[in-house]
């Protein structure tokens, strides 16, 4: 039985990691909640965000946290353009075509990254990358603590947009009833593209918060997107609060699994939860039946 002095840091580490997982999943659940599609290109687009932060730092000396002013808006523009210019046109109104379009985008983006950047693992070196802070007697990496609070602030801003703005009201109306939203004058194609753009902007924020303590390769998005799908299912498809709660649960389960079972088996608990949710509560913790 591990000592409490080891369990507490692992638990806190899981919570901080879970906040970032939730941020990645938040964009995924928004896209599903409004467009009712599963974005298979989510991991590849996260990888683009990480490379953008990396090259801004290496080429121009831009700190990853300063890049929060640059990368998320660029990712939003990319998401808007992809939805409006490629995904909508390729779908022809059929959901299966959208799935194939996002899968095709994922394959193209990852292979282009392999061609231009090879498969090398890239990291950045900042003055605070290896600094730690004491929390409840446990020492946690400073970038993870910053990422935790950054993810919470982003989720709060996201909620304000959805609850208090005209765009948020239009998004929620479109998520409930597309034809009704169109009848009252909402530009559905524009709102769809805005929703996709906001979901991808979340990945830009996640990339800026991740890279001081993480790395980037062309395949880096695979692990994150699998966990993000699990969080979306656990929290409830289309539930923003569920995505945040699910992120914390998955982060803690991963940390505890790694502590008790070893790093190589640490993620077994994540996929066990995924299977159990599908069997006993397919709507997720906060989801609702269609």
């Amino acid at each position: 039985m591990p000592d409490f002095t080891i369990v507490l840091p692992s638990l806190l580490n899981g919570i901080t990691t879970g906040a970032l997982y939730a941020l990645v999943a938040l964009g995924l659940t928004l896209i599903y909640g409004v467009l009712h599609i599963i974005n298979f290109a989510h991991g590849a687009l996260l990888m683009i965000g990480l490379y953008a932060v990396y090259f801004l730092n290496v080429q121009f000396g831009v700190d990853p946290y300063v890049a929060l002013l640059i990368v998320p808006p660029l990712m939003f523009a990319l998401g808007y353009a992809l939805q409006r210019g490629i995904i909508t046109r390729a779908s022809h109104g059929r959901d299966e075509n959208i799935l194939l379009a996002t899968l095709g985008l994922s394959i193209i983006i990852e292979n282009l990254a392999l061609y231009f950047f090879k498969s090398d693992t890239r990291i950045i070196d900042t003055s605070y990358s290896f600094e730690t802070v004491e929390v409840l007697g446990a020492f946690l990496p400073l970038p993870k603590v910053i990422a935790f609070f950054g993810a919470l602030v982003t989720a709060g801003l996201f909620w304000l947009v959805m609850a208090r703005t005209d765009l948020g009201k239009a998004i929620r109306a479109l998520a409930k009833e597309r034809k009704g939203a169109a009848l009252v004058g909402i530009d559905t194609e524009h709102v769809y593209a805005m929703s996709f753009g906001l979901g991808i902007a979340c990945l830009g924020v996640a990339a800026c918060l991740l890279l001081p303590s993480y790395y980037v390769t062309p395949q880096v998005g695979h692990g994150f997107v699998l966990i993000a799908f699990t969080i979306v299912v656990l929290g409830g498809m289309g539930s923003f609060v569920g995505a945040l709660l699910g992120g914390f649960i998955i982060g803690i389960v991963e940390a505890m699994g790694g502590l008790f079972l070893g790093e190589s088996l640490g993620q077994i608990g994540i996929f066990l939860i995924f299977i159990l949710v599908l069997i006993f509560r397919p709507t997720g913790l906060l989801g609702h039946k269609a």
Side-chain angles (χ1 to χ4, degrees), residues 2-131:
D3 188 85
F4 180 75
T5 57
I6 301 176
V7 172
L8 180 60
S10 296
L11 180 64
L12 293 174
N13 186 67
I15 292 172
T16 56
T17 302
L20 277 172
Y21 287 161
L23 193 57
V24 176
L26 198 65
L28 194 63
T29 201
L30 171 65
I31 292 170
Y32 176 84
V34 179
L35 279 68
H36 304 296
I37 61 167
I38 296 174
N39 177 24
F40 284 118
H42 210 66
L45 292 168
L46 173 62
M47 176 263 293
I48 287 179
L50 287 165
Y51 270 114
V53 178
Y54 172 82
F55 283 111
L56 281 172
N57 180 264
V58 171
Q59 299 295 328
F60 305 104
V62 178
D63 187 89
Y65 299 135
V66 176
L68 284 166
L69 301 174
I70 305 171
V71 175
L74 290 177
M75 294 294 288
F76 170 82
L78 174 62
Y80 188 98
L82 286 175
Q83 170 62 25
R84 200 74 188 259
I86 296 177
I87 296 174
T88 297
R89 294 187 179 186
S91 69
H92 300 292
R94 302 180 61 182
D95 289 347
E96 58 268 31
N97 288 351
I98 297 176
L99 294 176
L100 291 173
T102 58
L103 180 60
L105 279 172
S106 175
I107 294 170
I108 292 169
I109 291 169
E110 288 180 4
N111 280 279
L112 284 174
L114 276 170
Y115 177 78
F116 287 109
F117 309 133
K118 311 307 178 186
S119 59
D120 300 333
T121 298
R122 301 168 190 254
I123 60 173
I124 62 173
D125 184 25
T126 65
S127 59
Y128 49 81
S129 292
F130 298 101
E131 289 188 18

Side-chain angles (χ1 to χ4, degrees), residues 79-281:
Y80 188 98
L82 286 175
Q83 170 62 25
R84 200 74 188 259
I86 296 177
I87 296 174
T88 297
R89 294 187 179 186
S91 69
H92 300 292
R94 302 180 61 182
D95 289 347
E96 58 268 31
N97 288 351
I98 297 176
L99 294 176
L100 291 173
T102 58
L103 180 60
L105 279 172
S106 175
I107 294 170
I108 292 169
I109 291 169
E110 288 180 4
N111 280 279
L112 284 174
L114 276 170
Y115 177 78
F116 287 109
F117 309 133
K118 311 307 178 186
S119 59
D120 300 333
T121 298
R122 301 168 190 254
I123 60 173
I124 62 173
D125 184 25
T126 65
S127 59
Y128 49 81
S129 292
F130 298 101
E131 289 188 18
T132 59
V133 293
E134 186 176 357
V135 180
L136 300 176
F139 289 92
L140 300 177
L142 177 61
K144 281 201 168 187
V145 175
I146 294 174
F148 170 76
F149 288 106
L152 291 184
V153 169
T154 303
L157 291 174
F158 200 87
W159 177 84
L160 284 174
V161 169
M162 295 299 296
R164 304 295 184 186
T165 67
D166 290 340
L167 173 62
K169 293 175 183 177
I171 289 174
R172 287 186 282 119
L174 193 57
K176 288 184 178 294
E177 178 55 58
R178 177 177 180 175
K179 290 184 179 179
L183 286 173
V184 297
I186 294 175
D187 185 346
T188 58
E189 296 303 325
H190 172 69
V191 175
Y192 272 152
M194 291 292 288
S195 302
F196 199 88
L198 285 173
I200 305 308
C202 281
L203 295 180
V205 176
C208 294
L209 297 176
L210 266 172
L211 205 55
S213 60
Y214 209 67
Y215 62 88
V216 57
T217 69
Q219 299 88 10
V220 71
H222 292 174
F224 280 98
V225 78
L226 285 173
I227 293 174
F229 277 128
T230 304
I231 290 170
V232 170
V233 172
L234 173 61
M237 301 291 271
S239 171
F240 304 124
V241 177
L244 192 60
L245 178 61
F248 286 130
I249 293 173
I250 292 300
I252 292 171
V253 168
E254 182 183 39
M256 292 297 100
L259 178 63
F260 287 97
L261 302 176
E263 186 176 351
S264 60
L265 298 176
Q267 290 194 335
I268 284 181
I270 295 175
F271 300 106
L272 179 60
I273 286 178
F274 183 77
I275 294 170
L276 292 175
V277 169
L278 288 177
I279 293 173
F280 295 107
R281 190 173 175 82

